[in-house]
């Protein structure tokens, strides 16, 4: 009942991405996980830290790192969010302005206030989004991410979830994704490369 | 049964770091990261070293939160799965590290009382052999490398 599943197993979710990469066009100059196309991403409608309904067009106004997680997660999500924030700071030092977005896949516990305070911890401009279970599910499906709340504990339940970070551009959409073992330096470098390529 | 164990181990509690205990546990670098004001959970990390001659196992952690559990996180094809585990083996002569993205102590139910830098979380680790081992988790800022914003 709480479980929201895209695909049927974790492997299905991972396979969806793997297959997508495999089927896509030759790699670009900017790294070997780079794929061209628009199958990942697309329109979403979520709720911002201030409670407004926002769309992908409102949120992705510049090259943006998009991550799906939940704030009840004490180590993985903060670690990945801190790394994405760090990549943004590194690029800012080079005069490159990118956005960072954290989309909660735990809308039941992650209120707008909770995601707002969570993201402020990492970067003053990181955007925290949540929404209704339906809005979150739709956004997750658009990005081909997986999440599933473990049942049985109404208050302290844990949520399995994908950990890749997407590099999205306004208009042209998905550029590449980063696995969680990618460093902030690598993310900054690859992101700068895609920005270069398009300018 | 737990009470009996605790009573039986009470002798070892004070001597957990002395040479004659069979399992000699020492804890280093016990820390937790600060959380957002509205956070519901935080993680505790440390290194547990058993310099004794008997294998031991951390079976629970007690601290002043509504719920404290031992967790691990596993990754399968990019999906993180955090789960509750029964304990952590600490073999004789070895060090086990609890670190972000893997084993951790999960402090749950922080509601309104976040972990703040400079504060501490006193806790009691309960081992099968060494019994109760007190520990203090120092709350630190997350390392943002070059950027401390
Ligand atoms: Cu945990």
């Amino acid at each position: 009942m709480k479980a929201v599943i895209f695909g049927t197993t974790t492997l299905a979710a991972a396979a969806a991405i793997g297959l997508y990469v495999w089927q896509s066009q030759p790699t670009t100059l900017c790294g070997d996980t780079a794929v061209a196309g628009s199958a990942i991403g697309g329109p979403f409608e979520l709720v911002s830290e201030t409670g407004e309904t926002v769309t992908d067009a409102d949120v992705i106004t510049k090259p943006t790192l998009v991550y799906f997680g939940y704030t009840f997660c004490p180590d993985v999500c903060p670690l990945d969010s801190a790394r994405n924030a760090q990549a943004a700071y590194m690029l800012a030092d080079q005069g490159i302005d990118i956005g960072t977005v954290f989309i909660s896949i735990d809308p039941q516990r992650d209120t707008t206030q909770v995601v707002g305070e969570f993201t402020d911890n990492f970067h003053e401009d990181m955007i925290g989004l949540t929404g209704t279970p339906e809005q979150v599910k739709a956004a997750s499906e658009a990005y081909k991410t997986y999440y599933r709340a473990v049942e049985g504990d109404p208050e302290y339940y844990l949520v399995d979830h994908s950990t890749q970070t997407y590099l999205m551009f306004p208009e042209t959409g998905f550029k590449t994704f980063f696995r969680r073992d990618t460093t902030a330096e690598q993310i900054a470098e690859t992101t700068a490369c895609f920005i270069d390529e398009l300018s | 049964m737990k009470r009996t164990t605790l009573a039986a181990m009470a002798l070892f509690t004070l001597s957990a770091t002395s040479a004659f205990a069979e399992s000699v546990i020492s804890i280093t670098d016990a820390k937790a990261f600060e959380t957002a004001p509205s956070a519901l959970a935080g993680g505790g990390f440390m290194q547990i070293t058993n310099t004794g001659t008997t294998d031991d196992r951390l079976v629970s952690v007690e601290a002043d939160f509504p719920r404290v559990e031992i967790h691990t996180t596993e990754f399968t094809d990019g999906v993180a799965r955090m789960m509750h585990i029964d304990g952590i083996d600490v073999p004789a002569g070895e060090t086990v590290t609890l670190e972000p993205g893997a084993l951790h102590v999960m402090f749950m139910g922080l509601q309104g009382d976040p972990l703040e830098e400079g504060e501490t979380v006193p806790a009691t680790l309960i081992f099968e052999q060494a019994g109760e081992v007190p520990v203090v988790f120092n709350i630190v800022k997350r390392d943002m490398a070059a950027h401390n914003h």
Side-chain angles (χ1 to χ4, degrees):
Chain A
M1 131 245 162
K2 226 163 27 217
V4 182
I5 301 177
F6 175 70
T8 49
T9 66
T10 59
L11 288 174
I17 289 171
L19 190 65
Y20 178 68
V21 171
W22 179 72
Q23 285 177 333
S24 56
Q25 308 175 12
T27 58
T28 76
L29 292 172
C30 295
D32 58 2
T33 58
V35 289
S38 56
I40 289 180
F44 62 69
E45 197 178 272
L46 290 162
V47 179
S48 77
E49 295 170 25
T50 52
E52 293 160 76
T53 298
V54 293
T55 67
D56 51 302
D58 300 323
V59 170
I60 302 169
T61 57
K62 50 192 171 187
T64 298
L65 298 172
V66 178
Y67 182 81
F68 291 76
Y70 70 123
T71 74
F72 196 72
C73 152
D75 60 353
V76 172
C77 303
L79 214 57
D80 295 351
S81 299
R83 176 206 55 185
N84 290 349
Q86 204 189 328
Y89 284 127
M90 286 174 169
L91 288 167
D93 287 347
Q94 302 165 32
I96 300 172
D97 185 26
I98 68 159
T100 50
V101 173
F102 177 91
I103 299 177
S104 172
I105 43 73
D106 183 15
Q108 188 183 330
R109 283 181 302 202
D110 286 344
T111 62
T112 54
Q113 188 201 350
V114 170
V115 288
E117 291 181 359
F118 179 82
T119 51
D120 285 352
N121 245 356
F122 306 111
H123 193 298
E124 60 267 32
D125 296 331
M126 186 180 285
I127 297 171
L129 300 175
T130 183
T132 64
E134 293 72 27
Q135 287 174 322
V136 165
K137 178 170 187 277
S140 170
E141 285 183 357
Y143 280 77
K144 302 195 168 28
T145 74
Y146 168 87
Y147 66 103
R148 191 182 65 85
V150 178
E151 306 218 15
D153 193 324
E155 206 174 351
Y156 301 127
Y157 59 90
L158 307 176
V159 187
D160 302 340
H161 67 100
S162 303
T163 55
Q164 62 271 15
T165 291
Y166 297 96
L167 174 60
M168 307 300 294
F169 277 34
E171 326 248 310
T172 55
F174 174 78
K175 290 290 166 276
T176 190
F177 71 93
F178 303 103
R179 295 188 173 85
R180 70 178 308 272
D181 56 3
T182 313
T183 64
E185 287 80 3
Q186 290 167 328
I187 291 178
E189 196 181 314
T190 305
T191 302
C193 176
F194 276 105
I195 292 171
D196 260 12
E197 198 176 74
L198 290 181
S199 56
Chain B
M1 171 234 151
K2 191 163 141 208
R3 295 235 164 265
T4 324
T5 312
L6 292 188
M9 290 301 154
L11 271 178
F12 283 113
T13 303
L14 290 174
S15 58
T17 53
S18 65
F20 56 82
E22 290 182 292
S23 160
V24 184
I25 297 293
S26 59
I27 308 298
T28 47
D29 201 22
K31 64 174 186 247
F33 293 107
E34 63 172 4
T35 66
S38 53
L40 299 175
F45 307 94
M46 63 189 148
Q47 291 191 317
I48 305 172
T49 301
N50 180 353
T51 52
T53 51
T54 302
D55 293 348
D56 208 340
R57 181 173 170 82
L58 174 67
V59 289
S60 70
V61 180
E62 293 174 356
D64 190 18
F65 296 104
R67 175 119 38 116
V68 181
E69 292 179 353
I70 302 169
H71 282 186
T72 192
T73 303
E74 288 181 359
F75 297 90
T76 312
D77 297 314
V79 173
R81 176 173 290 127
M82 175 164 63
M83 59 191 102
H84 180 195
I85 54 174
D86 292 341
I88 299 173
D89 287 326
V90 188
E94 289 189 24
T95 295
V96 175
T97 301
L98 281 68
E99 60 188 345
L103 295 168
H104 58 276
V105 177
M106 183 91 165
F107 303 119
M108 295 185 273
L110 310 189
Q111 279 97 334
D113 188 13
L115 305 184
E116 292 176 78
E117 187 191 12
E119 293 185 346
T120 57
V121 177
T124 303
L125 309 180
I126 297 167
F127 290 88
E128 264 173 12
Q129 304 298 321
E132 295 187 21
V133 176
V135 60
V136 175
F137 292 90
N138 290 310
I139 302 173
V140 298
K141 243 184 160 42
R142 210 165 273 284
D143 181 19
M144 295 287 286
H147 292 278
N148 285 307
H149 286 252

